[in-house]
Amino acid sequence: ATPDLIRQYRYEKEMDERNKELTDDDLDELLPRDGYKILTPPPTYQPI
Amino acid sequence: MTNKVVRLPPEVNRILYIRNLPFNLTTEEIYDLFGRYGAIRQIRVGNKKETKGTAFVVYEDIFDAKNACEHLSGFNVEGRYLIVHYHQ
């Protein structure tokens, strides 16, 4: 495979890793619970 | 065609740490402010004396987080300038 293809493949693999799904447990590990309130999304919230 | 592969610096990630957030914003206003840049995975808002005015905003997509960070740093919300960093 050409260097470009290898670079592209490595980039995509890295991005998949950095964008992989974050479970609630992941978030609890990454973020403080104490002193913070987890907001419930308002009913009007439409993810774009 | 070789598209230029733009590597994101390592500190860029989906979690933004916000400081200088006004205390009286409603959940709707907070979701509106940050939701403009992409789908939001979760928001945690400081509710104690030492965490008031700070928040963690988690985006579903790392490029949305980058976009939000670039646009919201120094953004004026009700007279306060937001301080936005990537969570380390």
Side-chain angles (χ1 to χ4, degrees):
Chain A
T2 65
D4 265 345
L5 274 181
I6 296 170
R7 203 177 305 126
Q8 181 71 19
Y9 168 75
R10 209 179 292 141
Y11 169 76
E12 274 157 15
K13 216 157 75 67
E14 181 202 320
M15 287 323 294
D16 289 345
E17 178 50 35
R18 288 171 78 173
N19 243 357
K20 71 176 174 11
E21 200 240 333
L22 281 168
T23 64
D24 288 342
D25 295 340
D26 293 333
L27 291 176
D28 282 343
E29 252 167 62
L30 292 165
L31 297 176
R33 292 299 297 263
D34 182 33
Y36 285 88
K37 187 179 87 173
I38 298 176
L39 297 183
T40 36
T44 53
Y45 174 58
Q46 297 294 344
I48 50 173
Chain B
M1 93 44 204
T2 56
N3 56 354
K4 196 173 153 320
V5 169
V6 176
R7 293 266 331 273
L8 287 182
E11 76 278 3
V12 174
N13 66 69
R14 280 169 291 175
I15 305 178
L16 300 184
Y17 178 57
I18 315 291
R19 285 191 293 123
N20 220 24
L21 199 64
F23 298 161
N24 56 356
L25 294 182
T26 64
T27 299
E28 285 75 14
E29 285 165 335
I30 292 173
Y31 260 82
D32 178 55
L33 175 62
F34 294 103
R36 253 173 261 158
Y37 298 96
I40 289 179
R41 171 68 181 83
Q42 185 183 89
I43 295 181
R44 297 187 184 206
V45 175
N47 60 2
K48 291 248 177 50
K49 192 167 61 61
E50 54 281 353
T51 56
K52 263 227 178 291
T54 70
F56 290 96
V57 178
V58 187
Y59 283 90
E60 299 279 2
D61 184 280
I62 192 166
F63 290 98
D64 292 342
K66 180 170 184 295
N67 194 22
C69 185
E70 283 157 4
H71 286 89
L72 287 173
S73 297
F75 187 76
N76 182 326
V77 179
E78 295 180 6
R80 297 171 74 109
Y81 292 98
L82 291 186
I83 300 165
V84 184
H85 293 294
Y86 292 107
H87 178 52
Q88 294 316 326

